[in-house]
Amino acid sequence: MQMNRKKTVNKITVFFLITMLGVSALQVNQLIGMAFAQSENWYVGKGVKPDTHYTYEIKNADTNQGQPFTMTIYFKEYNETGKYWVAPTFVVDQGKVINGTLYLSDLDLTALGTSPIPPEMTQYRSAYATTLTWLSAFVSKPGQSLSSPSWGKIAAIGGSEIRPSGSAKVTTPAGTFDTTAISYHKGVDNHIYVNKDMPYPVKAETFADVTSGKPPIQYAFELKATGIGQPPIPASQVQIPVPPLNIQTPRGTYNVQLLWEPVEIKAGNDTQFGAIFTDDKNNIVDRVTYGYKVMDGNRTVIDEFKNQRATEGIGQFTYKFDTQGEKYLQITLETATGENLGMFVESATFLLLVQ
């Protein structure tokens, strides 16, 4: 009787131990699975380290008519109290250097409104938000899996799904990187390339949403350089624009090419300008009327002229600048192929240097 009782107790003990081991193994497997899932997650800001810097070339349709500029971000230190990175940042745009300090949120590297930057850097902070950190709307900390079937939908009418679409080896001036392409389709394919160990995407090319014609680039960027330590801020260098200059209008419908002679624009002397108008397929647009504004370096209008004719797509005019310095010349299409453009503003603004 005593022996049978011992056998029963032993069986219960063995069963209990097996059950506990099974539960423990399940918990371990769950923990391993969670750890693996966490390791393959990515978010804007993952892998950032103090005393490192990144330089990008950026094109953004809403900044300087889509003309390229470079931005260098130095992650100096982490502010534990405010939960943000202190990041001295400088922009080089057509030789002009603008610098300030961005406070970048620990959650998704969003530039905080308290960042101490000069007014002239505001447009570049906006460009930063809509390019390098655009994905933060989908992958703030702790992020999403790089093998997930979907990251959500883009915020647009009929917005498509944005998702990892496969691996890609991407080469930029900073090197060659193993990446995952994050893609969505809206008229055309848009791709953003993410390396799992880097805080920002390595490269991107996305396009504006248009109802017809060839969509223009909404934004594009690529990593130019990365390194350890604070990079030196370069001195501003005067870059003298030379013809021809080409700018696409904001909707991507037309291109405006500006030429002038003499190439060296002198205050007090006449300068002969030519404007060539083409469509998104680079075909000459005939029966164009246009206007142009001359502005100073602060974009204050000095002169304005309307109803200029470019019957065969080529307009010509003469202008004399009274003073030296940076000037802006904005050319706006009023009609094209004889039709009024209505509510759409199709313009291109060119930076000139008068000597």
Side-chain angles (χ1 to χ4, degrees), residues 223-293:
L223 183 64
K224 300 281 285 184
T226 183
I228 298 173
Q230 184 166 7
I233 299 175
S236 290
Q237 296 180 349
V238 176
Q239 290 186 353
I240 301 175
V242 295
L245 300 179
N246 294 276
I247 291 181
Q248 191 175 51
T249 60
R251 293 198 311 138
T253 312
Y254 302 103
N255 300 293
V256 182
Q257 183 180 90
L258 183 69
L259 305 99
W260 66 88
E261 60 177 16
V263 172
E264 190 174 284
I265 302 174
K266 292 284 191 179
N269 293 347
D270 285 344
T271 302
Q272 308 292 327
F273 288 95
I276 301 174
F277 302 93
T278 57
D279 62 17
D280 59 354
K281 298 179 179 62
N282 288 322
N283 298 315
I284 287 286
V285 180
D286 60 8
R287 292 180 291 158
V288 169
T289 59
Y290 66 97
Y292 65 92
K293 290 180 183 178

Side-chain angles (χ1 to χ4, degrees), residues 19-271:
T19 302
M20 291 301 295
L21 285 171
V23 170
S24 298
L26 180 62
Q27 290 175 335
V28 168
N29 286 336
Q30 287 176 336
L31 288 172
I32 291 173
M34 289 171 63
F36 177 76
Q38 188 72 14
S39 69
E40 70 163 2
N41 274 16
W42 184 84
Y43 55 90
V44 180
K46 184 174 182 180
V48 66
K49 297 176 182 177
D51 201 33
T52 58
H53 66 266
Y54 299 85
T55 298
Y56 282 86
E57 181 178 85
I58 300 171
K59 296 178 184 178
N60 182 44
D62 300 322
T63 307
N64 282 358
Q65 302 262 310
Q67 300 304 294
F69 62 90
T70 63
M71 176 178 282
T72 298
I73 303 162
Y74 170 56
F75 291 91
K76 182 179 180 180
E77 59 190 0
Y78 182 68
N79 184 302
E80 287 285 356
T81 304
K83 302 298 181 186
Y84 60 79
W85 287 93
V86 178
T89 300
F90 64 83
V91 170
V92 180
D93 190 351
Q94 299 183 74
K96 183 184 294 185
V97 178
I98 305 161
N99 65 84
T101 298
L102 296 177
Y103 292 161
L104 303 178
S105 167
D106 179 54
L107 286 176
D108 55 12
L109 296 188
T110 295
L112 302 179
T114 54
S115 301
I117 60 172
E120 58 267 29
M121 198 170 179
T122 301
Q123 65 171 325
Y124 300 103
R125 181 178 65 183
S126 297
Y128 167 86
T130 55
T131 57
L132 295 183
T133 61
W134 184 83
L135 279 176
S136 64
F138 306 95
V139 282
S140 58
K141 201 173 186 178
Q144 294 204 56
S145 170
L146 289 172
S147 59
S148 171
S150 174
W151 278 8
K153 288 191 174 183
I154 61 173
I157 297 174
S160 69
E161 200 166 51
I162 181 168
R163 61 185 181 84
S165 61
S167 60
K169 195 171 286 290
V170 172
T171 299
T172 76
T176 299
F177 302 89
D178 293 320
T179 72
T180 299
I182 310 301
S183 307
Y184 64 92
H185 184 87
K186 189 75 169 104
V188 293
D189 289 331
N190 300 261
H191 301 295
I192 305 166
Y193 299 95
V194 168
N195 176 278
K196 65 182 181 65
D197 299 316
M198 301 192 75
Y200 298 110
V202 171
K203 187 174 182 175
E205 187 174 48
T206 71
F207 298 88
D209 186 12
V210 295
T211 55
S212 62
K214 181 181 177 182
I217 287 177
Q218 181 61 44
Y219 71 80
F221 61 78
E222 68 174 3
L223 183 64
K224 300 281 285 184
T226 183
I228 298 173
Q230 184 166 7
I233 299 175
S236 290
Q237 296 180 349
V238 176
Q239 290 186 353
I240 301 175
V242 295
L245 300 179
N246 294 276
I247 291 181
Q248 191 175 51
T249 60
R251 293 198 311 138
T253 312
Y254 302 103
N255 300 293
V256 182
Q257 183 180 90
L258 183 69
L259 305 99
W260 66 88
E261 60 177 16
V263 172
E264 190 174 284
I265 302 174
K266 292 284 191 179
N269 293 347
D270 285 344
T271 302

